[in-house]
Amino acid sequence: MSSANSTAPSVDYLADPVFAVSPDGVLRYANDTAADVLGWDILDLIGTDVLDLVHPDDFGLAASALDTVREKAFGDLLMLRVRTGRGTWRYLEFRGTYRSPDLADPLAGLIVIVARDVTDRHRLEFDQGDTEVLRAVMANMHGMVILADNRGLVRSVNGAVTRLL
């Protein structure tokens, strides 16, 4: 499968990147949006290990998610840094689901992952002194944010923690 032969046309034109990965982490499909966001010719990446594209600091989280997604209806939302074709890093939020091998669809037996590019969230300038903008963004985010120190003690949480828990 590849975006070029379009075996999953219903996801080819989505606004967010969509990937299909074998349970051992090999990229089997990516839509055109994934190519645009990551700056890769996806056909060059088909058949490669997706963990090779993950930032080294995020590798453990990504590997664990691949191992556990088959045990859930949907994997947990997670954010990873992914290497682009330009040698930079993009922040992507991922959520995946495992398609049972006995299903009659072209993605059967694969982990289908929908991603969202959230790189712009990380481009806020913390040292510009505009802490009110940062405070407003953090308070109104839909995702939970927890700030912990190097000992793992929680120093701060955003409003989503209260709303969601």
Side-chain angles (χ1 to χ4, degrees):
M1 269 183 280
S2 72
S3 59
N5 81 14
S6 205
T7 58
S10 62
V11 298
D12 276 342
Y13 301 104
L14 291 177
D16 290 321
V18 177
F19 306 91
V21 177
S22 65
D24 61 349
V26 175
L27 183 66
R28 298 293 180 205
Y29 166 83
N31 68 353
D32 294 334
T33 306
D36 292 342
V37 167
L38 294 177
W40 289 103
D41 180 346
I42 294 300
L43 295 177
D44 291 340
L45 294 180
I46 298 296
T48 63
D49 188 336
V50 293
L51 294 176
D52 290 342
L53 301 175
V54 173
H55 191 280
D57 292 344
D58 300 338
F59 182 87
L61 180 60
S64 175
L66 271 177
D67 285 341
T68 60
V69 71
R70 292 187 307 270
E71 302 164 4
K72 308 171 185 178
F74 295 97
D76 296 328
L77 184 64
L78 65 124
M79 186 176 54
L80 303 170
R81 289 165 285 182
V82 178
R83 186 170 36 92
T84 70
R86 296 172 292 284
T88 59
W89 298 101
R90 302 291 299 179
Y91 286 84
L92 298 180
E93 283 183 341
F94 293 94
R95 176 162 281 148
T97 185
Y98 178 66
R99 304 289 296 159
S100 175
D102 59 344
L103 295 175
D105 74 41
L107 300 174
L110 298 175
I111 300 165
V112 179
I113 302 165
V114 177
R116 174 152 296 151
D117 185 0
V118 295
T119 304
D120 291 339
R121 287 185 201 165
H122 296 278
R123 290 190 176 150
L124 291 174
E125 296 292 333
F126 294 101
D127 60 350
Q128 292 290 321
D130 198 353
T131 57
E132 289 306 311
V133 171
L134 177 59
R135 186 173 287 117
V137 169
M138 294 300 287
N140 293 297
M141 286 180 65
H142 293 290
M144 294 190 296
V145 177
I146 298 172
L147 178 62
D149 65 16
N150 60 359
R151 295 175 295 163
L153 297 174
V154 175
R155 294 185 53 215
S156 179
V157 299
N158 71 339
V161 173
T162 304
R163 289 189 301 272
L164 295 172
L165 297 178

